[in-house]
Amino acid sequence: MKPVIFLGMSLSLAEARNILDADFRPPIKRGDLPRLEEGVAIVGIIDGVFMNDCSVGHREIIALLKRGVTVVGGGSMGALRASELGDMGMVGVGRIYGMYLNGEIEGDDEVALVFNPENNDPLSEPLVNIRATLALAVERGVLEADTSSQILEKVRAEFYPRRSFSRTVELAKDILDPLTFKEFAEFVGKSSVDLKRRDAIAVLQEIEKIQKSIFPKNAKK
């Protein structure tokens, strides 16, 4: 049986299918895991609902793990749950998972965004992507570390549906001098980081490795 992957806003379905032959399903919500078909051996959790809906419960994941199902998480909701359930056997993948695990970030709102329910297109930007872009701006010498932190705090103070790269640039205008602001705005336009997409790809690649180790003759890309 193909791995079951819960995916939504972090990566397009077309890209995901090009990486892994799997049963892709919408962002996970509470109640999805108990309804999984018998025989599912690998589950990947990337995107999930929360805030306005009931998020996947810890007990639901633990029940799967106790049945011997391999559960891999990363990218978004999967990263958060993997950081919480690593001791129970859930496999965590990616940079965002590492950030949750080491306490660099906390809370659902780091990966939260609003999206079009008809096609899963994101309508806001998760804070973790903005955070990574600001860090890259410091690394490239566009921003000083202290001004990057000031911008991040302003963005963090925004309610998550209002967060975007354009809003980040707008907020930076009151902090940066005109020349630095111009450089930063150009940098964001050309070099913004999509950390969730990178980690979603890493989850699929990790599941492909696991699949080949469990079913070496049947696994295929």
Side-chain angles (χ1 to χ4, degrees):
M1 183 172 284
K2 295 179 180 180
V4 173
I5 312 295
F6 293 93
L7 174 70
M9 304 69 73
S10 295
L11 185 70
S12 74
L13 194 54
E15 287 182 279
R17 284 176 169 157
N18 195 42
I19 297 170
L20 182 70
D21 183 18
D23 178 357
F24 289 99
R25 302 187 184 186
I28 193 168
K29 61 183 182 302
R30 187 160 301 183
D32 284 341
L33 294 182
R35 288 194 292 269
L36 280 178
E37 301 83 350
E38 288 293 327
V40 173
I42 304 173
V43 171
I45 300 175
I46 298 175
D47 291 305
V49 302
F50 51 93
M51 302 291 184
N52 295 325
D53 292 289
C54 291
S55 58
V56 59
H58 298 79
R59 291 182 179 179
E60 295 175 315
I61 297 173
I62 292 171
L64 272 192
L65 294 168
K66 287 183 175 178
R67 281 170 40 195
V69 177
T70 299
V71 184
V72 181
S76 188
M77 173 62 74
L80 179 59
R81 287 291 181 265
S83 70
E84 297 163 337
L85 296 175
D87 291 342
M88 302 298 296
M90 186 171 177
V91 179
V93 176
R95 173 71 177 129
I96 298 171
Y97 159 71
M99 293 165 77
Y100 273 123
L101 190 65
N102 65 26
E104 187 176 346
I105 60 174
E106 298 178 344
D108 294 353
D109 80 311
E110 286 280 347
V111 293
L113 52 77
V114 289
F115 62 97
N116 184 332
E118 295 183 356
N119 56 20
N120 287 332
D121 283 351
L123 302 176
S124 66
E125 198 65 36
L127 184 59
V128 72
N129 282 354
I130 295 170
R131 181 189 293 274
T133 300
L134 289 169
L136 183 62
V138 173
E139 184 181 319
R140 297 274 179 87
V142 177
L143 295 177
E144 297 292 336
D146 62 336
T147 51
S148 171
S149 297
Q150 291 177 49
I151 296 168
L152 179 61
E153 289 309 308
K154 279 186 169 286
V155 177
R156 193 208 303 267
E158 297 276 306
F159 188 38
Y160 77 93
R162 289 178 50 80
R163 294 170 183 163
S164 67
F165 283 120
S166 60
R167 180 62 177 155
T168 300
V169 171
E170 186 180 331
L171 292 169
K173 195 168 187 177
D174 294 333
I175 297 173
L176 304 175
D177 63 73
L179 179 58
T180 305
F181 173 74
K182 182 175 182 296
E183 292 176 350
F184 177 64
E186 291 175 353
F187 172 83
V188 172
K190 296 177 181 176
S191 305
S192 59
V193 179
D194 191 344
L195 203 54
K196 290 183 66 168
R197 179 179 179 276
R198 291 181 186 177
D199 281 7
I201 291 172
V203 169
L204 300 181
Q205 291 172 335
E206 180 65 23
I207 288 175
E208 185 183 26
K209 292 179 186 175
I210 294 171
Q211 189 182 25
K212 287 180 177 177
S213 69
I214 298 176
F215 310 110
K217 293 183 179 178
N218 297 326
K220 61 182 182 180
K221 188 172 181 178

